[in-house]
Amino acid sequence: MPAKKRIRTSYPGVYYISGKSKKSGKPERIYYIRYRKDGKLIEEKTGRQFQDKMTPAKAAEIRIKCMEGRRLSRRRKPAATTLQKTVDPALSIKGHAQDNGTKKLLEEKWFLFTESATEGFALFDSNFCLVEANTAAMELLPPGSKKEDMIGKHISDIMPETKVMGLIEDGKFITAYEKLEDVLKTGKSFNVEDQVPTPQIFGEDVHLNLKAFKVGTGLGVIVTDITERKRGERKLKKREAELGIKAKDLEEINTALRVLLKKREEDKTELEKKVMFNIKKLIRPHLEKLIKSRLEQRQLTQLEIIESNLNDIITPLMPHSDDKLLKLTPIEIQVVNLVKQGKTTKEIADLFNLSTKTIDFHRDNIRNKLGIKNKKINLRSFLLTTD
């Protein structure tokens, strides 16, 4: 039978054909709408004039909703009978099971919800054949995949790895497909973290999280693309490894610097000792001889100033415990060294060709200058602790 001519109404994209009422047989208009979506021209029947109480204004409103994606297109209801049988039990809300208007509203809201979601939603029947999938789910498939070609395909054709990959439970390997079968049998949901699907189908380096659960008599699957997250994690680990290498390099540099600083401190200490030794052995003896010689008061004052300035120069170079040693005369320094070596007063007197009383006099002066006079402290033990 040739198609009846569509008659244009005053509303854009709204047409009608003349027909007869199924009940009364009276003339009745049957309204259609036409619109473009995704580059395709779509024509749909909206309803009858009397049976559905359809008007051109209502048809125009339906057309706008379809164009904006706020109403489920009839052409986006594949396998309608299978979908209804699969989903109806899940939509049997108490008090609304037989309410077609409510069910239709729920279906439209569910369509809008799934189409707006960033996760992929797929619905399979009890035989694991695809019944419906939202746009996000289709975008996970290779470019050019058409929804109408995928509808009716078995889940193992869409995701072959479900029959290969799985997990260990109670020491037994169970495939993902077996777990999905268990979902339909028991109604217990099943999650798969970081699934790496077949590269030939989904492309290289794709990572997915899958959540499977029972929907009516069928199977619902939510697919979350975590590829960007995994790539970010890999970049973060790589960066952490690089930072670890840099930290190790810095630690090695710090160790080398600590060695250099220690060597520098040792060199500084050695230099200080040499400076002190040279002043005590090469300068102070001559200063003391000059001070004891017959000098004018003016000359003596100048020498005392020189001696004081020398002490000011060398004092910061020596540890605090050695400050008092700067006050010792050259002969007293020699006595100190011999006492530290364990020499007795008589042995020291013999070495200097002096009397023991003279050595005792020097020992007494040394104790006085070191601040241990009249104290029960062994001179040799004290001197050893100041090294």
Side-chain angles (χ1 to χ4, degrees):
M1 181 182 294
K4 291 185 178 181
K5 181 181 179 182
R6 268 60 168 166
I7 301 172
R8 186 190 303 271
T9 68
S10 58
Y11 290 87
V14 179
Y15 302 82
Y16 72 89
I17 62 174
S18 298
K20 290 185 178 181
S21 173
K22 294 180 179 180
K23 292 184 178 180
S24 64
K26 294 181 179 180
E28 181 181 41
R29 291 181 177 181
I30 305 169
Y31 290 95
Y32 290 81
I33 57 174
R34 289 178 182 173
Y35 60 93
R36 286 191 177 275
K37 193 169 182 67
D38 299 327
K40 296 180 180 180
L41 179 63
I42 300 173
E43 181 181 81
E44 292 185 14
K45 176 182 175 182
T46 58
R48 291 175 170 269
Q49 179 181 3
F50 301 119
Q51 180 179 323
D52 301 315
K53 297 182 180 179
M54 185 57 60
T55 65
K58 287 183 179 181
E61 185 178 352
I62 292 173
R63 178 176 180 269
I64 292 173
K65 287 182 179 180
C66 289
M67 292 172 66
E68 294 177 349
R70 295 185 290 119
R71 179 185 174 91
L72 186 63
S73 168
R74 293 189 182 209
R75 294 200 175 190
R76 301 202 63 160
K77 296 181 180 179
T81 303
T82 304
L83 180 61
Q84 184 176 10
K85 290 180 179 179
T86 302
V87 180
D88 269 356
L91 292 178
S92 295
I93 303 172
K94 186 177 180 181
H96 298 288
Q98 304 300 323
D99 189 339
N100 292 330
T102 301
K103 185 179 292 186
K104 185 177 181 181
L105 179 62
L106 286 174
E107 288 176 354
E108 290 185 2
K109 287 185 176 181
W110 178 252
F111 169 75
L112 294 175
F113 167 71
T114 56
E115 286 301 303
S116 302
T118 55
E119 289 84 2
F121 288 84
L123 182 65
F124 297 85
D125 61 20
S126 57
N127 295 317
F128 293 118
C129 293
L130 183 64
V131 174
E132 182 60 278
N134 68 345
T135 301
M138 294 303 301
E139 288 176 349
L140 293 173
L141 297 176
S145 298
K146 294 182 179 181
K147 186 174 178 180
E148 52 266 29
D149 296 334
M150 302 302 294
I151 297 299
K153 277 193 173 184
H154 195 270
I155 192 170
S156 61
D157 295 327
I158 301 172
M159 298 183 69
E161 62 275 3
T162 56
K163 287 195 173 183
V164 180
M165 302 182 71
L167 68 160
I168 303 295
E169 283 189 357
D170 299 327
K172 180 183 177 182
F173 178 77
I174 302 177
T175 65
Y177 187 80
E178 291 173 324
K179 290 296 294 183
L180 295 177
E181 288 180 320
D182 189 58
V183 171
L184 288 186
K185 291 177 183 178
T186 65
K188 186 178 180 181
S189 62
F190 169 56
N191 296 342
V192 179
E193 298 290 335
D194 193 14
Q195 175 83 11
V196 181
T198 306
Q200 290 80 357
I201 296 179
F202 288 82
E204 297 291 340
D205 191 27
V206 176
H207 298 261
L208 306 174
N209 279 354
L210 304 179
K211 296 181 181 179
F213 46 90
K214 191 172 183 179
V215 180
T217 60
L219 179 75
V221 178
I222 298 177
V223 185
T224 305
D225 188 352
I226 60 170
T227 303
E228 290 302 319
R229 191 186 84 189
K230 300 302 290 187
R231 289 174 182 170
E233 290 175 356
R234 286 200 299 269
K235 289 181 180 179
L236 182 61
K237 288 181 179 179
K238 182 180 178 182
R239 183 60 178 163
E240 288 176 347
E242 292 173 352
L243 290 175
I245 294 173
K246 289 183 179 180
K248 186 177 180 180
D249 292 343
L250 287 174
E251 183 61 31
E252 291 176 354
I253 292 172
N254 287 336
T255 301
L257 286 174
R258 283 194 291 268
V259 171
L260 291 174
L261 289 173
K262 184 179 179 182
K263 183 67 171 61
R264 180 179 177 276
E265 193 65 28
E266 292 173 351
D267 292 343
K268 178 184 174 185
T269 302
E270 186 64 26
L271 179 62
E272 290 172 350
K273 289 181 179 180
K274 288 181 179 180
V275 171
M276 289 296 300
F277 178 81
N278 290 333
I279 290 175
K280 288 182 179 181
K281 299 296 182 181
L282 302 178
I283 299 177
R284 289 192 65 173
H286 297 289
L287 278 177
E288 290 180 358
K289 287 181 180 180
L290 285 173
I291 291 173
K292 291 178 181 180
S293 63
R294 294 179 180 180
L295 297 174
E296 296 179 2
Q297 183 61 42
R298 181 180 175 184
Q299 294 172 327
L300 185 61
T301 302
Q302 291 297 324
L303 285 174
E304 289 175 348
I305 292 173
I306 291 173
E307 183 181 32
S308 176
N309 289 341
L310 274 176
N311 288 336
D312 290 340
I313 291 171
I314 63 176
T315 296
L317 301 179
M318 298 299 294
H320 180 70
S321 59
D322 288 341
D323 290 349
K324 295 177 180 179
L325 296 177
L326 298 175
K327 300 177 182 179
L328 302 180
T329 64
I331 185 65
E332 289 171 349
I333 291 174
Q334 294 180 45
V335 171
V336 164
N337 289 333
L338 292 170
V339 169
K340 287 196 289 184
Q341 293 174 20
K343 302 295 184 182
T344 64
T345 299
K346 186 176 184 305
E347 289 172 334
I348 296 172
D350 292 341
L351 287 171
F352 288 119
N353 197 23
L354 297 171
S355 66
T356 57
K357 287 185 178 181
T358 302
I359 299 304
D360 285 335
F361 174 78
H362 287 312
R363 290 176 66 108
D364 190 57
N365 284 339
I366 292 169
R367 294 181 69 89
N368 185 44
K369 291 179 180 180
L370 296 179
I372 59 173
K373 187 176 182 180
N374 300 325
K375 294 183 179 179
K376 294 181 179 181
I377 298 175
N378 182 271
L379 178 59
R380 181 170 182 267
S381 298
F382 181 82
L383 291 173
L384 292 173
T385 60
T386 59
D387 282 345

